[in-house]
Structures are given as C-alpha cells and as structure tokens.
Amino acid sequence: MRNEYIEASGRVAHQHGEPSDLRHIGRAAFRRTLFDMATIRAFEQRLLQCADRGEVSGPLHTSIGQEGVAVAVCRHLRDGDQVVGTHRSHHHFLAQGLARTVADDWNPLTAPPPAAAEALLTSAFAEILGRPTGVNHGVGGSMHLRHEKVGFMGSSAIVGGGIPLAAGLAYANRLRDTGACAVCFIGDGAVNQGTFHETANLAGVLGLPLLIVVENNGYAEATRPEEASAVLPLASQGLAHGLRAAAVEGGDHAGLHRTAEDLLSSMRHGAGPAIIEVETYRHFDHTGPERGSAVGYRSAAEEDAWLERDPMTSLPRTLTAHGLLTADEDEAIRAAATAFVERAFHATPAPSTVPPVLDVRTLLRGPAREALDEREEGASTEEQAPRAKWTFKNAIAEGIAGALRDSPDVVFFGEEVANPGGLLWQAGRLDRSLVGSRIVNMPISEAGFVGMSCGAAMAGVRPVVELMYGSFALIAADQLFNHIGVIRALYGNTAQAPVIVRAKVPIGRGYGPQHGLNPAGLFTSFPGWRVYAPTDPREYLGTLNSALRCDDPVLLIEFASLYDEVFELSEDDFTRRLPLEGARVVSEGTDVSVFSYGIGVNWARAAADELAAAGRSAEVVDLRALDTLSTDWATLESSLARTGHGLFVDPAARGQSIAPRLIADLVGRQAGVHRLSYLACADVQPVTPVLEQQAVIGTADIVTAVHELLKAH
C-alpha cells in the first residue's frame, strides 16, 4: 500500500489497500471488525424499533452503512486516547467502547463478550431511552453520549462543534506528555464550518496530536458536497492548514485500517495533526427509518448500488475471496453479535414508575469545592500586614502569574498574551519558560481557541482565556453557550468545563459598538456561566482564586477604565479566596439603595458622597455575582426594606443591561407579581421526556401558579 501522507508535495494521498494489507491485518483482527460492525448495526436496528414504538425522544440519527469507519479507526486507539463524536455518533460510541472493553485477542467464535462490554451496551440503550441507569443518567439522549472511562469524551449535536473540543483534548495530551491522541469524527458538512478551519489551523500551528476523520456519506442531510464545497476532495481543505491528508475510497477496508494505523502511529512520534476523508454511505434518511429516495433527494438506484458496497457485505466478500473468512464463520459472527445486543437490550431496566426530579443546580452547577476564606477587609491580621501599591491591571497580571506558578494545570490562552503589549509582558510578570506550552499566543480565532479551552478543561486542565474585548464573545458564542455553559446539562453532570474567561470592556474610551459590548447581559442570558465584574483588585483576586478551584465556567468582566487606578494590597490579598455567591453592602444608607457592579460601584460611591453633602443617605450594594442562579436576593431585599427606594446602575447599553431582569424579579418578589417560564430552570430544555415534561410549561401550570399566587396574597 502506498504510504505518502502529504506534507510538502501539496496533494491528498489517495490510499488503496493491497492483498498484502489484508494478510498483514490478519484473520483475527477482521473477525473483531465484523463482530463490532454487526453489533453496531443490530444495536441501531433495535433502536429503530424502539423509536417506531415512541420510546425514543428526539431525532434518531443512525449510522447504518457507516459502521466500518469508526470500527477501523478506533481499533488503533490505545488506553488514554480520546474520541469526540457528532449528532450521528452511536457507532463512534460503541466502536470506541468495544475497543476498550474487549481484548484485542478475543475471538467471537469461541467465547461470549465480557460483562463490561455488555454493560456498555445496556447503559447506551438506557441512555437513549431516557432511563436513569443510562451512561449519562438518561439526560443526554441519542445525540449527547459520553463515557469518559472508555475514552469517549462526548458527542456534540452542533455540526462542527466537537472539533475544537477534540483539539483541546489533544492539547492536554501534549501538555502532559501522555503520548495519547484525540480523534474527532465529523461529517462532510462540518468541513464548511468556521470551527473546522480555525481548529485545523490551530492544530497545525501547535502541532497537536489530533486526527480528524471526515465521514463523507455523500449528503449533509440532503446536500451533496459538490453543491456546498468549492474545493474537493474535502481532505484537501485540511491540507491547506498544514494537516497531513489522506482519502480512502468506500469499501477499501484494508486501506482504511492501514491509513488510520500509520497516521496515529506517526502522530504518537510527533508528526502532528492529520485528516482522513473516508467515502461511505448512510442507507437511511438523515433521521428515522426511511430511505433518502423516499424523501426525494437521491435515487433508489444509487441506494441499491451502495447496498452492494455496504461494509457488512463487501468486507465478508473480500475476506472470503482471500481465504480469511468462511461463510459459516460470517454467519456465526453475525449471530453472536445479534444475541449480544439482544441480551444487553433486555437487561435495560424498564421505565421507572417514579419520575426523576429535574434539579437545575445539579445540571448547571457543581457542588461546593471547599470552605472559602471569607475574612472581611479590616480584620486585625489584615491591618498589620504590610501593603504595597498596585495598579488594578498589574494586580490582575500578578494573580494570573501566581496561578500559573502554583499549578501545572493552569494555562493562559489568548491573542498576544505572550507578546509585548500583553497583560503579563506589560506588568513584568511573563514567565518565558511557559510561552508556547502553558502561555499560548493564539491566532485571531476566538471560536477555535475558546472551544479548545473547553476540551482542555474537560481533560482536567484549568484554562484562563483572554477575550481581548467583550464584544468578541459573539464570535465564539457557539462554544461559549452551546458547549462550555451546558456541558453538565448535556452529559448528566458527568463532565465539567471549568474555563475562566476574561473580557475587557472599554467604557469611555471611544471604541464604539463593535468593541464596547458589556457581555454581562449576554452571558447571564445563557445557562451554566458564573458571571462577575469585580470593582477592585481585592474582589478580583479573591474571585479569581475561587474560580480556579470551581468546576463551573466563570466570566470575569474587566472595565478598562479601572486598569490604571492604584490600590494598596497586602500579600494576603493575592491568596485570599472569596465566596462566589453573595452581594456585599459597600456603604450603608437609609434613603435609597443603589445596586451596581464593576465600575458602576465606583460611580455609586462617588454619588453617595455627593448625596451625603446634600443630606441624602444612599446605601451602595455591589451585586458581585450577576448570573441568574447566584443572585443574592436576600441582600437586595434586605437593603430595599431598609431604604424603601432602589436604583439599579448598570454600566451597559440599555439593550445589554441586566437591570430589567433584576428589577422585574425583585419587584415581583415583593409585589406578588411572579414570572412563569420553564419550571425550575428558565434556560435548559432536557431531552428525556419525563424531565422535559417537568420543565416545559402548559395550561395546567398556569392554573396552578394563579391559585398559588392568589392564596399567598
């Protein structure tokens, strides 16, 4: 077989297996390949039956016809390698799971699969059927599978959404020198997503051990690649970003095995990222049991031709022709796989008679990590501690530099973060020994490196990500809100993405609407994020130190107008951890409560001084935690009860302001005006029917709410 993966020659290597490759791979390996493919097919056929009975919630994307791709690639992965899948990912999940739970030398003709493999299938059935015994407690469903123990790190229902996550996993592998690789399976349509190009470039620049496998099944739902992509083959688009590129024809099982083996082996030795485009076919429509021809975007003749090339037909035929398989062996392997799937399916527990309770804090927030140091300013130890003068900006730089010194898991990503002009360089806190490894200059690719931080965080790394301006969060919105913020909800609290994002807001500096966005309103409109805008460096450092020990994603908003203000700080200020929940009364008053955050607290303090000179007493309250789940209603209500009047000062444009939500909720709590939205959580719509029924409101909920409201008042 030709082994000419492209680096300098500037073309895609079209791989072709030879008879010698079949013999090299061997009879035993192909028996396992057939068994795994037959298992995946029987699994999905059983799921289609369940869906026909109404037992599967949401769309069911089957991979029938594509099984051989995942099986061939995952066979060459090792313990510690990771896989990221797509919305169509049953075959990725099962191929990787079987590769990790069944020994390579196991013979399907002589022994039953081990109990661990049967448990894997049972938990997958339970997950897709919405049972609490599912691998992700029945929360994720068909499109959000995850099983970290076998190295399947998750499937993303956003086309192309998993690519930067896989890059983050690969980055973590390289950082820790584990020798492990990350594999991301995508469909042909994902090559046209910006995340593909941003991440391919990032992977090339950083030399990540990342393999992207494009399963080109001929249709992105109903659109052919030649209708949507100006450059074909698709693998050549990876080539343009410096990835080694290979293409494998449909039905060339030997070529695919050898290509995957060669690329992964070279990657483990530092050869860098690669892409394989594999020609394949899905026999059914985008979702459900119909053929695509029944929907009208392809012909029955085309489908029949691909049935002849089906891996469950073409591989046994090839092996039989070369004396590596008999018809009886083929039949016995299929029967063993079908029996295996049926045992696993019938071991799946029936639906529980007691519905699970939707707990939004479990889905979106982790448990408290440890007791925090909550010493108040002015404590006796603080009064005696020596102080030094720091600008707000330099204090932030020292906080990040200290975090990098204290933990090898902390990394710092962003544009220009290691260059002159960057925060650490300006403050004289840049550790040059960490540049390129843990302090990483990123291309202008916010979606790519924010998504990469998510994957790294899922692997236990603690990324601090700099968005040069809050407005740039909109460029990375998919990764911030469809992935990082809802990781817990997607996978039933089996995954965390503790990413810290720093975002600058240049109020009063003439940057205009494309750079001047205050992202507080944006981030608090989506679930999962803890949001803070510290008003001084003590608050900032205490929040940063706690965020570094929190398993939830955290946004830290920085008002650039505060950067050059000078504060006196002690050494304790750089190590103290402040609680991540709870507002604080900055100054007491009796006439009016002024609520704000960040630079707005400074404005409120100055206003309180002017009001005092006029005989008015204003109480200033720093909101601190700005997100919905962390709002300290007790402190706000207590302050308002003392003063009788309230003013929200929001350093944001009207459309970006969080004040309307806060005012509506606060007034409603006091005046008997309530809001009815998705029950328990206003942001997350679950997959599992019993949980979805608890969350989504209807007529009965309105009637109940009205009765309770009238009864209470």
Side-chain angles (χ1 to χ4, degrees):
M1 173 182 152
R2 293 181 298 155
N3 183 16
E4 46 183 304
Y5 308 110
I6 303 309
E7 293 174 0
S9 62
R11 59 188 177 86
V12 175
H14 291 272
Q15 306 297 3
H16 302 285
E18 306 292 345
S20 59
D21 294 319
L22 293 169
R23 291 188 292 273
H24 171 81
I25 296 166
R27 183 190 301 267
F30 278 124
R31 278 198 301 252
R32 268 300 304 279
T33 296
L34 279 171
F35 177 83
D36 289 1
M37 289 194 308
T39 295
I40 294 168
R41 180 157 300 187
F43 179 90
E44 291 199 313
Q45 288 170 335
R46 172 56 81 169
L47 280 180
L48 286 171
Q49 295 173 11
C50 293
D52 188 55
R53 296 193 295 265
E55 297 172 359
V56 177
S57 181
L60 186 67
H61 304 84
T62 62
S63 62
I64 292 174
Q66 300 182 204
E67 302 94 339
V69 181
V71 170
V73 174
C74 292
R75 174 168 179 78
H76 300 290
L77 299 181
R78 302 175 181 174
D79 289 341
D81 290 339
Q82 302 123 326
V83 173
V84 174
T86 71
H87 58 283
R88 190 183 313 280
S89 231
H90 305 150
H91 57 318
H92 308 140
F93 178 91
L94 293 176
Q96 174 66 359
L98 291 171
R100 302 276 68 77
T101 57
V102 182
D104 285 345
D105 59 358
W106 173 76
N107 187 345
L109 296 173
T110 59
E118 188 167 322
L120 174 86
L121 262 67
T122 299
S123 67
F125 272 126
E127 181 63 30
I128 296 169
L129 296 175
R131 313 284 164 79
T133 55
V135 67
N136 305 135
H137 312 301
V139 171
S142 172
M143 294 190 292
H144 308 124
L145 295 168
R146 172 181 160 83
H147 196 338
E148 185 173 6
K149 187 175 180 181
V150 299
F152 191 80
M153 303 303 288
S155 53
S156 171
I158 303 295
V159 172
I163 309 172
L165 272 63
L169 296 167
Y171 167 80
N173 294 336
R174 195 198 66 177
L175 179 68
R176 293 166 172 169
D177 196 23
T178 64
C181 299
V183 175
C184 183
F185 290 95
I186 62 174
D188 47 276
V191 176
N192 296 316
Q193 282 279 17
T195 48
F196 169 82
H197 296 279
E198 289 193 22
T199 307
N201 178 63
L202 265 175
V205 169
L206 300 177
L208 300 180
L210 171 66
L211 176 62
I212 298 174
V213 180
V214 182
E215 293 178 286
N216 184 352
N217 63 22
Y219 295 92
E221 191 160 351
T223 303
R224 295 190 59 82
E226 51 265 34
E227 298 174 33
S229 299
V231 177
L232 297 173
L234 297 173
S236 63
Q237 298 194 42
L239 184 68
H241 297 294
L243 276 61
R244 295 169 297 145
V248 179
E249 293 179 359
D252 186 358
H253 305 284
L256 178 55
H257 270 268
R258 289 301 300 271
T259 301
E261 180 182 25
D262 290 351
L263 286 174
L264 287 164
S265 176
S266 63
M267 198 174 292
R268 297 184 200 284
H269 293 89
I275 182 171
I276 307 174
E277 178 186 349
V278 186
E279 186 185 27
T280 183
Y281 203 76
R282 54 171 165 82
H283 294 312
F284 293 113
D285 187 27
H286 180 61
T287 63
E290 288 187 303
R291 297 178 73 177
S293 57
V295 180
Y297 58 86
R298 63 191 189 191
S299 69
E302 176 187 297
E303 292 172 334
D304 291 341
W306 271 99
L307 280 172
E308 286 298 308
R309 302 172 67 183
D310 181 288
M312 295 297 297
T313 301
S314 60
L315 179 57
R317 185 169 55 223
T318 299
L319 295 176
T320 300
H322 289 85
L324 297 173
L325 183 75
T326 68
D328 288 344
E329 289 174 333
D330 180 29
E331 184 178 348
I333 289 171
R334 292 170 190 259
T338 300
F340 173 46
V341 169
E342 289 303 299
R343 287 196 304 273
F345 175 75
H346 290 295
T348 305
S352 174
T353 56
V354 180
V357 176
L358 183 64
D359 182 352
V360 65
R361 286 196 172 260
T362 297
L363 290 178
L364 296 178
R365 289 289 161 85
R369 295 274 294 178
E370 55 183 290
L372 300 177
D373 182 352
E374 299 184 39
R375 289 177 296 169
E376 297 290 338
E377 291 183 34
S380 58
T381 55
E382 186 69 18
E383 291 174 354
Q384 298 170 7
R387 294 171 175 267
K389 291 184 177 180
W390 291 80
T391 64
F392 200 152
K393 181 167 62 177
N394 285 358
I396 294 172
E398 174 56 23
I400 294 172
L404 288 163
R405 289 194 301 269
D406 292 343
S407 172
D409 290 330
V410 175
V411 299
F412 188 29
F413 294 164
E415 298 156 9
E416 307 292 338
V417 293
N419 288 347
L423 179 76
L424 296 180
W425 187 91
Q426 287 184 358
R429 295 295 186 275
L430 179 64
D431 184 344
R432 297 187 182 278
S433 69
L434 301 181
V435 173
S437 58
R438 291 173 52 213
I439 302 174
V440 186
N441 276 334
M442 291 294 177
I444 302 176
S445 305
E446 282 83 3
F449 68 74
V450 168
M452 189 174 119
S453 75
C454 179
M458 291 172 70
V461 175
R462 291 274 170 174
V464 178
V465 179
E466 178 182 297
L467 287 178
M468 195 172 286
Y469 294 95
S471 299
F472 299 170
L474 294 169
I475 304 171
D478 172 53
Q479 295 299 320
L480 290 168
F481 306 126
N482 276 330
H483 291 89
I484 296 174
V486 294
I487 283 292
R488 289 186 183 277
L490 285 180
Y491 303 126
N493 207 29
T494 65
Q496 299 82 37
V499 176
I500 297 174
V501 171
R502 299 176 48 240
K504 180 169 60 179
V505 179
I507 285 179
R509 299 201 169 190
Y511 275 81
Q514 291 188 329
H515 286 68
L517 172 76
N518 178 344
L522 178 66
F523 277 76
T524 57
S525 296
F526 293 91
W529 282 92
R530 294 176 179 259
V531 181
Y532 307 88
T535 190
D536 61 53
R538 291 188 187 88
E539 278 286 313
Y540 189 102
L541 293 165
T543 303
L544 172 65
N545 291 333
S546 295
L548 287 163
R549 292 161 178 81
C550 174
D551 286 338
D552 304 320
V554 173
L555 171 69
L556 293 174
I557 299 171
E558 302 171 7
F559 290 94
S561 298
L562 298 176
Y563 277 165
D564 295 328
E565 291 196 12
V566 177
F567 297 80
E568 289 189 347
L569 302 176
S570 70
E571 290 185 6
D572 289 342
D573 289 322
F574 288 91
T575 58
R576 175 187 289 119
R577 300 199 300 276
L578 293 176
L580 291 178
E581 297 186 2
R584 63 174 182 142
V585 177
V586 176
S587 60
E588 295 183 350
T590 57
D591 294 331
V592 63
S593 299
V594 182
F595 306 107
S596 193
Y597 61 90
I599 197 171
V601 174
N602 288 18
W603 299 342
R605 283 169 128 169
D609 290 341
E610 289 192 27
L611 289 166
R616 296 290 190 180
S617 176
E619 180 159 293
V620 178
V621 179
D622 183 357
L623 297 172
R624 295 195 71 249
L626 306 181
D627 57 272
T628 304
L629 291 183
S630 300
T631 301
D632 183 359
W633 295 113
T635 296
L636 272 61
E637 289 178 319
S638 175
S639 176
L640 200 56
R642 285 193 297 273
T643 66
H645 297 84
L647 175 68
F648 277 84
V649 177
D650 197 337
R654 179 181 292 270
Q656 300 160 17
S657 175
I658 64 172
R661 170 180 62 83
L662 293 170
I663 293 171
D665 285 349
L666 186 56
V667 172
R669 292 165 71 93
Q670 295 189 330
V673 179
H674 292 222
R675 177 172 58 178
L676 186 61
S677 57
Y678 283 3
L679 301 182
C681 60
D683 306 309
V684 175
Q685 181 171 321
V687 173
T688 308
V690 68
L691 294 181
E692 189 174 32
Q693 289 166 12
Q694 291 178 49
V696 179
I697 59 176
T699 301
D701 301 299
I702 298 173
V703 172
T704 300
V706 169
H707 282 312
E708 292 179 352
L709 181 61
L710 295 177
K711 186 189 303 181
H713 296 84

